[in-house]
Amino acid sequence: AQELASQADLRNLENEVVDLKHFDPKAHLGGTAAFLVACYGRGEPTDNAKKFYEWVMSPERSAAEFRGTKYAVFGLGSRATHCDRFCVVGIALDKRLEELGAERIVDRVDG
């Protein structure tokens, strides 16, 4: 995340790195966001992203909340130890953001 922010700085792009445990929908939706999300265990989100992940996956979410939001998702995982669940959090998040009407600005990248 810090490297991505450094690259944005070099291009004079306003940016802010926010740990998902501090994600505030009112402050962080409606603009452009890059979500770097990992999974572990049996495909669960990391502890710092769990609350955000549950929030965005909730059936209570509406397209109105994501109006004007542009996004990119970078899924992080390990093919070696979890090939059947490789980047499942990133895959699910990307799909859900699209369902909610957010605009994907680049295809999801898994690594």
Side-chain angles (χ1 to χ4, degrees):
Q2 293 298 336
E3 179 60 30
L4 186 59
S6 294
Q7 291 298 315
D9 287 339
L10 290 173
R11 291 161 179 78
N12 294 318
L13 298 172
E14 185 178 327
N15 68 85
E16 176 185 12
V17 176
V18 178
D19 188 313
L20 287 176
K21 71 181 173 185
H22 301 296
F23 179 83
D24 176 2
K26 291 178 183 167
H28 300 120
L29 290 179
T32 302
F35 295 97
L36 286 68
V37 293
C39 60
Y40 72 104
R42 298 185 180 270
E44 298 93 24
T46 55
D47 290 343
N48 66 314
K50 187 175 183 177
K51 184 177 174 182
F52 164 78
Y53 186 77
E54 290 171 351
W55 177 84
V56 79
M57 293 300 181
S58 169
E60 296 175 11
R61 298 289 62 83
S62 71
E65 294 172 287
F66 294 84
R67 188 172 296 119
T69 301
K70 298 178 181 183
Y71 75 95
V73 173
F74 298 89
L76 306 168
S78 171
R79 285 188 201 273
T81 57
H82 300 99
C83 62
D84 60 331
R85 295 181 182 94
F86 179 66
C87 295
V88 295
V89 171
I91 293 166
L93 177 61
D94 183 49
K95 180 180 177 187
R96 182 66 173 145
L97 290 170
E98 181 181 44
E99 290 170 354
L100 289 166
E103 179 186 346
R104 183 185 298 114
I105 54 174
V106 295
D107 290 338
R108 187 190 70 250
V109 176
D110 299 328

